[in-house]
Amino acid sequence: MADLHRVLVTGANGYVASWIIKQLLEQGVAVHATVRNKSNTAKYQHLLDIAGQTPGTLHMFEADLLELGSFEEAMSDCDVVMHTASPFKLQVDDPYKGLINPALQGTKNVLDTVNKTSSVRRVVLTSSVVAIFGDNQDIEKAGNRRFSEANWNTSSSADHQPYPYSKTLAERQAWQMVEAQGRWDLVVINPGFVMGPPLSEQSGSESIRTMQQLTDGTLKMGVPELHMGVVDIRNVAEAHIAAARKDEAKGRHILVNKVLTLLEMSNILREEFGSKYALPQRELPKFLFWLVGPTVGLSRKFVKRNVGYPSAFDNSKSIEQLGINYIPIAKTLTDHVRAMERETKEKMASA
Ligand code: NAP
């Protein structure tokens, strides 16, 4: 187990990064955190508040993925770099501008600076299961009909599933760059769909948007049969830290607890919250999504290759090598909604 001297976390205000930073600060680690705009303190006030109550120290820096060299100051004297910053949006006008360039050029930019910063011994990259597969239908080509770390997404492109494409290109870039040198190593975390209590309502992450849509009535008429590997945000943060601390950690790590459909998630929430939320109660037929999908941002190709296909993941490496003890999924989902409720209450109290 390595001591963590000073850790850089990119995209610090994000949903995932905020939990990583919280756990690092609780463990007394010195954290260098980058945000795009340091003067917009509202986006990271929650981190300053956590730093005020924990033994670790937090320094904020400004850096943009697309600005060459902008991570240099923040990375100075760090032994570990956790690169989480990357846009997580499922719908963008321009896939290159909105997703692919920041993911790919951003990873290259951060790792170019790692190459120049002699203190860095390890990079922990936040990739995704979508660098492992693109469409649920890809399960037909995966060994044992289960996705594992050996699989790569070969079905996404800029036109079809640009977010998975952006994550695949970025992770491949990182593996190429680590192989081209011998000083630092790379450990990759590939989370499924992350759910669990957000530390701030400022993030635009699809994780937060999905839970809002499940509970605010947007999906009450029904949902597609879409199977997703889900994982708790707190386990994802733990995995990043274990990946940084464990000398023997190597390669990619799938982080998925359970495969659930949107309806199964709603049913779990209904058990806890009864009729408090207008949760979806049924699945609508695939052909309906095929017909109307394009009007609600789901292409026919996406519907064809994803709706109705089961999914399965081999998460054994995360348990055996990173020591992850998966939080029960009902707790993940209910804690997420309770955190949203607390946030609303606090907003109303301060209005
Ligand atoms: P998020 O809350 O939207 O965080 C994304 C972060 O990336 C934000 O801090 C954002 O900064 C930053 N970013 C985007 N473009 C940038 C740029 N040009 N320069 C600097 N920073 C930029 O989303 P998240 O869910 O936490 O995602 C974080 C990471 O986890 C991503 O790499 C994502 O692919 C990965 N991941 C997420 C999930 C999930 O289910 N949430 C699953 C697997 C992997 P701004 O706030 O300024 O935009």
Side-chain angles (χ1 to χ4, degrees):
M1 278 288 221
D3 273 347
L4 299 179
H5 164 65
R6 186 165 288 123
V7 175
L8 168 64
V9 183
T10 69
N13 58 293
Y15 173 54
V16 168
S18 292
W19 264 103
I20 297 174
I21 292 173
K22 176 175 159 49
Q23 292 185 3
L24 286 169
L25 291 173
E26 284 166 351
Q27 294 172 25
V29 176
V31 177
H32 282 192
T34 66
V35 288
R36 259 202 270 200
N37 177 3
K38 211 178 142 188
S39 61
N40 188 359
T41 49
K43 279 194 98 162
Y44 61 87
Q45 185 58 46
H46 60 289
L47 299 177
L48 302 179
D49 294 344
I50 293 165
Q53 299 152 16
T54 47
T57 56
L58 178 68
H59 285 97
M60 302 301 304
F61 296 84
E62 196 166 277
D64 193 295
L65 290 169
L66 296 173
E67 206 177 295
L68 291 187
S70 77
F71 290 88
E72 278 174 17
E73 192 194 350
M75 202 181 292
S76 168
D77 206 23
C78 288
D79 46 338
V80 171
V81 171
M82 296 193 183
H83 179 38
T84 83
S86 199
F88 180 22
K89 295 186 191 116
L90 296 180
Q91 280 166 24
V92 286
D93 293 334
D94 178 339
Y96 281 95
K97 233 171 139 182
L99 289 165
I100 298 165
N101 295 349
L104 181 58
Q105 290 171 21
T107 299
K108 181 165 185 320
N109 189 14
V110 169
L111 297 185
D112 275 339
T113 302
V114 169
N115 277 335
K116 289 192 213 148
T117 311
S118 59
S119 57
V120 177
R121 64 169 176 82
R122 177 165 286 180
V123 173
V124 179
L125 175 74
T126 318
S127 184
S128 169
V129 290
V130 301
I132 282 174
F133 77 102
D135 297 312
N136 277 13
Q137 193 188 44
D138 296 347
I139 195 114
E140 288 169 356
K141 291 176 273 163
N144 298 329
R145 296 186 74 87
R146 232 158 53 128
F147 294 117
S148 79
E149 284 88 357
N151 300 120
W152 275 92
N153 175 354
T154 55
S155 60
S156 298
S157 65
D159 299 328
H160 175 65
Q161 299 262 53
Y163 169 68
Y165 188 54
S166 76
K167 296 302 287 181
T168 309
L169 293 179
E171 193 191 323
R172 282 205 185 274
Q173 172 77 35
W175 284 117
Q176 270 169 26
M177 289 180 76
V178 71
E179 274 152 29
Q181 55 76 58
R183 194 197 73 239
W184 52 275
D185 64 6
L186 175 69
V187 183
V188 173
I189 304 297
N190 303 82
F193 196 57
V194 185
M195 297 297 242
L199 293 172
S200 145
E201 57 160 19
Q202 297 279 336
S203 154
S205 171
E206 289 291 337
S207 295
I208 296 184
R209 210 171 69 95
T210 300
M211 187 55 98
Q212 277 160 353
Q213 290 188 336
L214 270 183
T215 51
D216 70 6
T218 306
L219 303 173
K220 71 172 183 225
M221 298 306 285
V223 279
E225 184 197 336
L226 211 47
H227 297 254
M228 293 185 289
V230 183
V231 61
D232 193 292
I233 181 100
R234 294 158 287 195
N235 287 140
V236 175
E238 268 168 54
H240 280 77
I241 297 173
R245 283 194 188 277
K246 292 190 176 228
D247 295 324
E248 66 280 16
K250 252 191 180 39
R252 315 172 88 191
H253 301 81
I254 287 178
L255 260 279
V256 165
N257 180 12
K258 208 170 163 42
V259 174
L260 289 174
T261 60
L262 290 166
L263 184 62
E264 285 167 336
M265 286 187 210
S266 309
N267 290 341
I268 291 172
L269 290 173
R270 198 172 293 106
E271 269 187 32
E272 179 72 17
F273 297 101
S275 56
K276 188 169 180 187
Y277 296 103
L279 294 158
Q281 307 211 28
R282 60 189 172 132
E283 276 166 353
L284 299 173
K286 182 168 179 173
F287 78 85
L288 200 65
F289 285 100
W290 190 85
L291 273 179
V292 302
T295 63
V296 293
L298 296 177
S299 74
R300 292 202 166 128
K301 190 168 168 183
F302 174 86
V303 172
K304 186 167 172 235
R305 294 187 178 191
N306 289 279
V307 175
Y309 281 96
S311 193
F313 296 87
D314 179 354
N315 67 1
S316 56
K317 192 174 172 196
S318 66
I319 297 168
E320 285 154 21
Q321 295 192 11
L322 298 180
I324 299 302
N325 184 8
Y326 282 104
I327 294 170
I329 216 72
K331 179 168 170 56
T332 303
L333 299 176
T334 54
D335 283 359
H336 192 139
V337 174
R338 295 241 181 268
M340 283 164 51
E341 289 177 339
R342 268 196 307 279
E343 190 81 45
T344 311
K345 233 188 225 164
E346 279 166 23
K347 245 207 240 150
M348 281 165 71
S350 65

